[in-house]
């Protein structure tokens, strides 16, 4: 994992366009104030593109078969069967 470059609050104010362009290009930054990290600027994840129905159908045909009983058994072993009541006090 690469270390994010640090920028000061003043750099952010004075070079905002340059920094925003870098973020749009995928760069992340740690913002500092008085030498202490106070936040991170990270690019948003790109939205997924639309997949046409024919393309999805073709991908689905190539997908491996699923054993529904084994899938349900896996679900049952990992699911919390007694969730806490969020309204219980």
């Amino acid at each position: 994992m690469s270390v994010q470059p640090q920028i000061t609050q003043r750099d952010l104010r004075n070079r905002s366009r340059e920094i925003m362009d870098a973020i749009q290009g995928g760069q992340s930054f740690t913002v500092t104030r008085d030498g202490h990290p106070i936040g991170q600027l990270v690019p948003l994840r790109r939205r997924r593109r639309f997949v046409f129905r024919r393309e999805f159908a073709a991908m689905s045909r190539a997908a491996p078969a699923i054993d529904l009983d084994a899938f349900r058994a896996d679900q049952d072993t990992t699911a919390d069967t007694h969730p806490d009541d969020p309204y219980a006090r």
Side-chain angles (χ1 to χ4, degrees):
M1 186 167 114
S2 64
V3 176
Q4 295 177 357
Q6 292 189 352
I7 57 171
T8 64
Q9 179 182 1
R10 179 174 290 170
D11 283 338
L12 180 57
R13 183 184 67 230
N14 294 336
R15 299 175 32 225
S16 63
R17 180 179 176 92
E18 174 188 344
I19 292 167
M20 292 300 136
D21 288 344
I23 292 169
Q24 188 174 12
Q27 180 68 54
S28 298
F29 295 94
T30 299
V31 181
T32 63
R33 179 190 289 160
D34 298 327
H36 301 286
I38 60 168
Q40 294 180 331
L41 295 173
V42 296
L44 294 176
R45 293 190 314 169
R46 301 263 185 219
R47 289 182 183 241
R48 297 184 70 182
R49 70 177 183 88
F50 177 79
V51 178
F52 289 99
R53 182 177 292 165
R54 283 175 292 201
E55 187 179 348
F56 179 77
M59 289 187 297
S60 298
R61 281 192 292 276
I66 297 173
D67 179 355
L68 295 179
D69 293 328
F71 178 75
R72 180 57 190 232
D74 288 343
Q75 293 272 315
D76 289 342
T77 58
T78 58
D80 187 3
T81 56
H82 301 290
D84 294 333
D85 183 358
Y87 300 104
R89 293 195 182 245

